[in-house]
Amino acid sequence: MLQDIFTGIPLGIFLSFMVGPVFFVLLETSAVKGFRAALVFDLGVVLADVIFIALAYFSSYKLIQSIKNDPAIFIFGGILMLTYGITSFIKLKKVSKNVDEIAVDELIKINYFNLFIKGFFLNFINVGVLLFWFLILITIGPKLQLETARMVTFFSAVLLSYLVVDIGKILLAKQLRSKMTPTNILKIKKVISVLLIIFGLTLMFQGWFPSDQKLVKKALEKIE
């Protein structure tokens, strides 16, 4: 059991520092809205990971086969992220015209439910995350004899270590909150919106030019 835990911890730490939309939005949420808001957002992210792990474990072959053969799923996810980024940027452009009249509280209104859904949504629409968990499953699974208890222990260690490291990032980003003037908040939000647009386009290109197709194909051949 301890060996499975220690095997999972490095992977969790690695995941926490993977650069993607979730990484940047988490830091932005912490700096602008504080610790609790960022933690709720991160819990939404973790829930999406839990669902992906469950999908990979219980229906891995058929599910991944269909995704591999249907790049439209990547394109759809990319369009959703791209639309979200563009919509956010347009709204911020309108708000920035009256930035001097806006109070900080108006820019950092906190709705924990929306933050949770936002974290879940940003992670869940990235089908590449599901492929990642699938590859981890077929790599680590045989070493754990595919025993349910050991698999649960391993993935729990991964997600808990991921969450712990994220909490550290949240606390560090929170130190910037004292500098969050309306102008700075709008700048940060605009940068995040642009990054979401970039990640959305990247996800769409994965559908048009699936560079990881060979890697997934090899993984599927192992199962067959």
Side-chain angles (χ1 to χ4, degrees):
M1 181 177 178
L2 286 177
Q3 182 179 353
D4 297 338
I5 292 174
F6 289 133
T7 302
I9 290 175
L11 178 59
I13 296 173
F14 169 75
L15 283 176
S16 185
F17 288 100
M18 286 184 67
V19 177
V22 169
F23 178 90
F24 291 106
V25 176
L26 177 68
L27 297 182
E28 178 256 340
T29 303
S30 178
V32 175
K33 299 185 177 181
F35 177 83
R36 290 183 182 178
L39 181 60
V40 170
F41 170 84
D42 209 26
L43 290 175
V45 173
V46 171
L47 176 61
D49 280 325
V50 170
I51 292 176
F52 275 150
I53 292 170
L55 287 173
Y57 181 74
F58 290 110
S59 56
S60 56
Y61 179 80
K62 291 183 179 179
L63 182 64
I64 303 301
Q65 182 70 38
S66 65
I67 289 174
K68 180 182 75 70
N69 293 328
D70 189 9
I73 296 178
F74 284 90
I75 297 174
F76 178 70
I79 290 174
L80 289 178
M81 192 177 295
L82 178 65
T83 303
Y84 183 83
I86 292 174
T87 303
S88 298
F89 188 81
I90 292 174
K91 287 181 179 179
L92 291 169
K93 286 286 286 184
K94 292 179 179 178
V95 172
S96 62
K97 294 178 181 179
N98 303 313
V99 63
D100 295 331
E101 303 173 8
I102 300 173
V104 173
D105 291 343
E106 293 182 31
L107 291 173
I108 60 174
K109 290 179 180 178
I110 299 175
N111 184 315
Y112 290 110
F113 177 76
N114 287 346
L115 284 168
F116 183 85
I117 296 301
K118 183 179 180 181
F120 177 84
F121 171 79
L122 281 179
N123 202 24
F124 196 76
I125 63 174
N126 189 351
V127 184
V129 177
L130 173 58
L131 294 175
F132 171 81
W133 285 120
F134 173 75
L135 292 173
I136 293 298
L137 181 68
I138 64 170
T139 301
I140 300 297
K143 297 179 181 179
L144 303 177
Q145 285 81 48
L146 291 176
E147 294 179 9
T148 302
R150 295 190 66 186
M151 299 282 281
V152 169
T153 299
F154 170 77
F155 283 110
S156 295
V158 172
L159 293 177
L160 284 174
S161 57
Y162 168 86
L163 191 59
V164 168
V165 175
D166 267 7
I167 288 174
K169 293 189 317 194
I170 291 170
L171 291 172
L172 288 173
K174 184 185 174 184
Q175 304 304 314
L176 299 174
R177 200 175 184 192
S178 60
K179 299 180 180 179
M180 291 298 104
T181 62
T183 301
N184 289 339
I185 291 173
L186 283 172
K187 286 180 180 178
I188 291 174
K189 286 181 174 290
K190 284 181 180 179
V191 170
I192 296 301
S193 296
V194 171
L195 287 173
L196 289 177
I197 292 172
I198 293 171
F199 284 120
L201 290 171
T202 301
L203 194 58
M204 291 170 64
F205 286 139
Q206 284 182 353
W208 287 323
F209 308 103
S211 59
D212 295 332
Q213 194 173 38
K214 291 182 179 180
L215 183 62
V216 176
K217 185 177 180 180
K218 289 180 179 179
L220 291 170
E221 288 173 351
K222 289 183 180 181
I223 293 181
E224 291 174 332

